[in-house]
Amino acid sequence: MKIVSQIREPIDHEMELFEEKFHKSMSSKVALFNRITYYIVNRKGKQMRPMFVFLTAKLLNGEVNERTYTGASIIELIHTASLVHDDVVDDSNKRRGFFSINALWKNKIAVLVGDFLFSKGLLVSLENKDYDLLHIISNAVRDMSEGELLQIEKARLLDITEEVYYDIIRQKTATLIAACCSMGACSVRPDSEEVETFRKFGELCGMAFQIKDDLFDYGAEKIGKPTGIDIKEQKMTLPLIYALNQSDPDKKKWLINSIKNHNKNKKRVKEVIDYVKQKGGLEYAVTKMLEFKDEALAILDNYPDSEYKSSLTLMVNYVVDRKK
């Protein structure tokens, strides 16, 4: 956690104020909603996404404004909503080591809570007449939905190429981190080139982040989660795609058959993991991940040194060096 505290240090004050504003933005007249949102707030993660918003704003402007707090709240509301919905879609009973909303209150309530949080995120921007911020987050929500559906569609056919994989993770994961950074820029420098520059910066960070997540599935780190989950769910990730491309027709057939028909067989899943490692799938994915990281850092090189630039640099490195 030490590295996260270091990243957060230049925006500690803003993050504390943000948490107060964020809690208020989640309030409802319905007691059940408040009980559930209280549960969510008390089990929050590292809050990397709001940190991207504040650090980008401060890198460009030296200080934040009310719009920056609005942007950070919108991002965290939409992110939280997407996690609640993801747990329903994935039939997951745990989130960050705690019971998920659907495990405690069932799917119907979890879906409604996700919808409530989504609507709150949109209303926060409308109430403040921040239509440019609303535009950024609406594009992100559309992309996230399309990315998830594209992944489901391709899982059925198992015909995913490396380019399609990048499209999926760009929409599914990178788009929200891109929204964080463009939101931060837009809050202090609306209509400037920086809004697009930092959208690209966030997207590159998000691409590296998702490839790192995909590597965890091969036991690259001990993260307390079983390996092979993506294979069991028939998700075609970069290490597997690379191994497929390096295989002769017979081996390719065996791999596809393993994922399609034997993805619940522990022994077969382990054989697939071992084969992907043997074909250099992990090394290839690491190379691509570091390319995205270096592109993101190259964007920061265009800005003068500051504690905010140092924190963003630390953040980019943390994305690829994290252990979970």
Side-chain angles (χ1 to χ4, degrees):
M1 199 62 182
K2 194 183 170 191
I3 185 76
V4 178
S5 303
Q6 215 177 327
I7 293 166
R8 183 182 152 133
E9 198 177 354
I11 51 162
D12 255 335
H13 174 66
E14 287 80 7
M15 287 298 290
E16 279 173 29
L17 260 177
F18 156 72
E19 285 189 32
E20 285 175 33
K21 290 171 185 279
F22 178 59
H23 294 180
K24 281 181 192 165
S25 71
M26 289 177 94
S27 65
S28 163
K29 291 173 185 169
V30 179
L32 178 58
F33 268 129
N34 287 330
R35 198 153 71 243
I36 296 169
T37 54
Y38 179 81
Y39 179 82
I40 292 169
V41 163
N42 283 296
R43 283 148 191 84
K44 65 179 185 289
K46 299 181 191 79
Q47 295 187 308
M48 304 299 279
R49 286 159 188 82
M51 284 160 67
F52 268 120
V53 177
F54 288 117
L55 286 169
T56 302
K58 293 201 91 170
L59 172 79
L60 293 173
N61 201 47
E63 55 186 35
V64 302
N65 56 31
E66 202 52 45
R67 275 163 53 83
T68 318
Y69 287 103
T70 299
S73 292
I74 294 166
I75 287 289
E76 195 68 350
L77 283 161
I78 298 297
H79 175 57
T80 308
S82 70
L83 295 182
V84 173
H85 279 171
D86 281 353
D87 288 340
V88 175
V89 171
D90 298 338
D91 200 19
S92 174
N93 290 324
K94 287 286 181 80
R95 166 71 59 184
R96 296 173 184 140
F98 296 97
F99 284 114
S100 59
I101 303 303
N102 49 300
L104 291 173
W105 284 281
K106 307 301 176 200
N107 283 351
K108 186 176 180 180
I109 288 176
V111 170
L112 292 169
V113 168
D115 291 347
F116 172 78
L117 295 171
F118 267 120
S119 68
K120 278 283 191 178
L122 303 178
L123 284 167
V124 165
S125 52
L126 284 172
E127 281 160 8
N128 295 287
K129 296 185 170 56
D130 291 316
Y131 303 120
D132 48 357
L133 303 186
L134 178 63
H135 186 73
I136 290 168
I137 199 61
S138 299
N139 281 333
V141 171
R142 179 201 60 203
D143 289 348
M144 287 157 69
S145 305
E146 286 183 349
E148 286 287 356
L149 283 169
L150 181 59
Q151 186 169 58
I152 291 165
E153 179 192 340
K154 292 300 177 182
R156 285 178 184 159
L157 302 169
L158 298 184
D159 63 346
I160 187 168
T161 62
E162 193 170 324
E163 281 315 302
V164 170
Y165 165 78
Y166 292 137
D167 285 342
I168 289 170
I169 68 169
R170 187 175 288 112
Q171 290 183 295
K172 203 182 107 167
T173 303
T175 192
L176 192 59
I177 298 175
C180 297
C181 299
S182 58
M183 199 84 89
C186 190
S187 71
V188 293
R189 293 206 185 163
D191 305 318
S192 69
E193 283 179 18
E194 267 95 1
V195 177
E196 172 55 26
T197 300
F198 278 88
R199 186 205 65 78
K200 186 66 185 169
F201 167 77
E203 184 180 274
L204 291 163
C205 292
M207 299 292 279
F209 181 93
Q210 187 56 53
I211 295 173
K212 179 69 173 184
D213 256 17
D214 293 345
L215 284 163
F216 286 141
D217 202 52
Y218 288 85
E221 303 284 355
K222 301 287 179 207
I223 58 164
K225 146 184 155 178
T227 54
I229 295 290
D230 289 340
I231 294 165
K232 286 178 189 127
E233 292 176 359
Q234 299 183 325
K235 287 178 184 170
M236 302 283 281
T237 58
L238 190 54
L240 182 58
I241 293 163
Y242 179 80
L244 270 168
N245 291 339
Q246 302 304 308
S247 301
D248 60 45
D250 285 347
K251 209 65 182 169
K252 199 175 272 192
K253 202 173 170 182
W254 172 80
L255 268 174
I256 296 286
N257 184 37
S258 299
I259 296 154
K260 213 170 214 173
N261 304 311
H262 305 281
N263 55 318
K264 301 286 191 284
N265 179 325
K266 283 185 182 177
K267 183 173 177 287
R268 190 74 165 257
V269 168
K270 188 183 181 308
E271 285 171 6
V272 170
I273 288 171
D274 291 342
Y275 179 75
V276 169
K277 287 177 177 175
Q278 177 204 322
K279 294 303 281 186
L282 301 198
E283 288 83 355
Y284 181 77
V286 167
T287 301
K288 289 293 173 184
M289 175 182 74
L290 294 177
E291 283 175 15
F292 285 117
K293 181 199 84 164
D294 290 342
E295 273 190 72
L297 291 175
I299 290 173
L300 289 182
D301 284 343
N302 298 316
Y303 293 87
D305 289 345
S306 68
E307 56 185 335
Y308 313 116
K309 178 180 171 179
S310 298
S311 275
L312 279 171
T313 303
L314 265 178
M315 183 90 94
V316 177
N317 285 310
Y318 173 73
V319 161
V320 301
D321 294 335
R322 65 202 164 95
K323 305 298 180 198
K324 61 179 179 178

